[in-house]
Amino acid sequence: MNYWTPELLAPAGSLDKLKVAVNYGANAVYLGGQKFGLRSAAENFTVEQIKEGVEYAHGKGALVYVVLNSFFHDKDFDGLHEFIVYLDEVGVDAVIVSDPGVIEYISQNTKLEIHLSTQASCLNVEAAKMWKKLGVTRIVLGREVTIKDAGKIKKEADIEIEMFVHGSMCMAFSGNCVISNYTQGRDSNRGGCAHSCRFEYKLEGADMEAKNSFFMSSKDLEGIRVLQEFIDAGIDSLKVEGRMKSYLYAGTISKVYSEALDYYREHGNFLSDDLGRWEAELNKVTHRAYTEASLINPAGADTIYSDREHEIKEYAATGAVLEAVEGKFLLVEVKSAFNVGDQLEVLPFKGPSVSFNIDFIKNVLGENIERSNPGSIVKIPFVPGIDGNNLLRRKVIQ
């Protein structure tokens, strides 16, 4: 018997990250083009890369959503018609939009499915009903909504619901933050967020001693232990934040949550001996301290992250396996240098990571070398059970 589970939706900050997320089990990915999104500093996709990404994802049974969630001024509509028609033609599965005018424009000019971005800050049943009337088929709720309230919105508004399950959090209501506008002169709701909430500020008051604080910085969201609540509430899609994070992040988070959901599909519960391993894996990606934020109860003071300069980073991405030649070697694309004698870990698509020692490194000419260089392709010892496109990492905190 297969039990129902929500879609796992992963970030795709680049074509490489899209492929990694899909290979490691994401059911869908979301990405941004060169315009109209909220991550202007990200790599973002060219139209050719979007087409290639759609073909790759669909070939693996995954869906592709494209963000158009900036708040538009009239001049921002320049080029929108050509872009959305192209997205429709290449088979993008949905677009994620904030602006009601853009929603109407897309509805009139394409057959694209429209998801409401969390930037629109939908928090209640009546708002959900209104967006549904405008043609929205799915709502990405604001991160201030609990799972219980999200279930009520889904039931009473009768619309698909998507919620964040993992990643960085905003301190402000989604779509209502203008800190970067004032501190950096960058419009946070039109692609210019400078993450000013992560900065250290000086607090002064008449009845207090002045002190420095990161009081607006939030811990990171982690929902691995409340997946059952998402399922009970009928939440349709679980979204992972992080289009600007590394491909190792995209692969690790996709692997962990997809394994957990796979387990549920087979057993109807999360009483797996692997729960501890899944949590350990989530701790191996760069992150702030974790919180369940508002998933169960409204976020309180305990969700503030007061140590911005010390994000936890235990492992660094080292490379990706291009080919595993049985019994002989792994052909690896090197992302960061490593030496003979180092210990690396391979992240298989399923199951525990595998540690092994680098007994030799050979360049493409077959010559022994002591150290690999970033961007190079090298041969390292063969590891049983490893496939092409598996990721390599190295512990950086001993």
Side-chain angles (χ1 to χ4, degrees):
M1 180 176 180
N2 278 337
Y3 294 88
W4 177 86
T5 58
E7 168 190 86
L8 176 61
L9 174 58
S14 68
L15 186 57
D16 284 345
K17 294 173 189 174
L18 179 152
K19 294 178 179 178
V20 166
V22 170
N23 289 339
Y24 277 97
N27 306 119
V29 293
Y30 62 102
L31 59 90
Q34 297 297 310
K35 294 175 61 178
F36 312 121
L38 284 177
R39 292 289 180 265
S40 59
E43 295 176 63
N44 291 320
F45 283 60
T46 64
V47 289
E48 294 82 8
Q49 289 172 329
I50 292 175
K51 182 173 185 291
E52 183 178 345
V54 169
E55 291 172 349
Y56 188 88
H58 286 181
K60 299 277 188 178
L63 305 179
V64 175
Y65 310 143
V66 175
V67 295
L68 305 168
N69 55 349
S70 176
F71 288 105
F72 280 55
H73 290 223
D74 282 333
K75 63 182 180 181
D76 297 324
F77 279 79
D78 292 345
L80 179 64
H81 185 271
E82 293 80 1
F83 188 56
I84 60 177
V85 168
Y86 181 82
L87 298 181
D88 205 2
E89 289 176 349
V90 301
V92 165
D93 298 285
V95 288
I96 305 171
V97 186
S98 303
D99 189 303
V102 177
I103 290 173
E104 178 69 10
Y105 189 83
I106 294 172
S107 297
Q108 291 178 350
N109 291 281
T110 72
K111 295 180 180 178
L112 286 165
E113 191 169 318
I114 301 172
H115 297 174
L116 183 72
S117 170
T118 191
Q119 287 297 108
S121 201
C122 180
L123 306 176
N124 59 69
V125 173
E126 296 307 318
K129 290 179 177 176
M130 183 275 292
W131 288 113
K132 182 180 177 182
K133 288 178 182 176
L134 289 181
V136 168
T137 58
R138 176 187 290 186
I139 291 176
V140 189
L141 290 175
R143 281 171 272 205
E144 302 77 28
V145 178
T146 65
I147 297 173
K148 180 180 178 182
D149 287 346
K152 178 175 185 287
I153 293 171
K154 174 180 172 59
K155 182 178 180 181
E156 296 187 18
D158 188 24
I159 192 167
E160 286 188 16
I161 295 296
E162 180 178 308
M163 295 185 74
F164 282 91
V165 69
H166 197 97
S168 298
M169 297 284 293
C170 291
M171 55 73 62
F173 276 73
S174 302
N176 292 278
C177 178
V178 291
I179 302 175
S180 294
N181 301 58
Y182 290 99
T183 59
Q184 305 288 320
R186 294 164 50 171
D187 193 334
S188 51
N189 295 305
R190 301 181 66 237
C193 176
H195 303 283
S196 299
C197 59
R198 304 295 182 188
F199 297 170
E200 186 179 33
Y201 293 92
K202 187 174 185 178
L203 295 178
E204 295 180 316
D207 300 322
M208 63 177 287
E209 183 178 345
K211 65 177 182 179
N212 292 339
S213 173
F214 296 98
F215 71 103
M216 289 190 289
S217 182
S218 171
K219 294 178 181 176
D220 287 353
L221 178 66
E222 183 198 62
I224 190 73
R225 284 197 174 263
V226 294
L227 291 177
Q228 183 70 61
E229 281 75 6
F230 282 115
I231 291 172
D232 292 345
I235 305 307
D236 297 277
S237 180
L238 304 182
K239 186 172 200 166
V240 176
E241 181 277 344
R243 279 196 292 134
M244 294 180 66
K245 294 180 179 176
S246 70
Y247 72 94
L248 181 59
Y249 172 91
T252 304
I253 305 300
S254 298
K255 171 185 167 67
V256 168
Y257 281 95
S258 67
E259 282 190 8
L261 293 171
D262 285 347
Y263 185 91
Y264 185 90
R265 265 191 294 278
E266 183 176 352
H267 299 91
N269 61 64
F270 289 102
L271 303 176
S272 171
D273 293 338
D274 286 324
L275 182 57
R277 176 173 64 81
W278 295 332
E279 289 184 309
E281 284 293 331
L282 295 178
N283 284 323
K284 290 182 178 180
V285 296
T286 303
H287 67 284
R288 303 174 186 89
Y290 284 132
T291 173
E292 292 177 358
S294 296
L295 293 178
I296 303 300
N297 298 301
D302 60 334
T303 66
I304 295 174
Y305 185 62
S306 58
D307 200 13
R308 176 182 181 271
E309 299 303 323
H310 294 88
E311 283 189 340
I312 304 163
K313 182 178 182 180
E314 289 189 28
Y315 285 79
T318 306
V321 177
L322 299 176
E323 184 181 5
V325 179
E326 183 73 26
K328 295 184 178 178
F329 60 84
L330 301 177
L331 189 66
V332 170
E333 180 183 10
V334 180
K335 300 291 186 181
S336 63
F338 54 86
N339 302 305
V340 171
D342 285 350
Q343 186 177 68
L344 302 186
E345 282 189 10
V346 178
L347 201 63
F349 295 132
K350 299 291 181 185
S353 58
V354 180
S355 297
F356 66 103
N357 293 320
I358 298 296
D359 295 330
F360 69 82
I361 304 174
K362 295 179 182 291
N363 61 23
V364 291
L365 300 176
E367 299 167 336
N368 287 313
I369 56 178
E370 290 296 314
R371 179 179 174 83
S372 65
N373 291 317
S376 65
I377 294 175
V378 299
K379 297 176 181 178
I380 61 175
F382 175 77
V383 180
I386 300 307
D387 297 314
N389 295 319
N390 279 169
L391 300 180
L392 295 169
R393 64 189 177 195
R394 179 167 55 92
K395 194 168 187 177
V396 293
I397 298 177
Q398 301 297 329

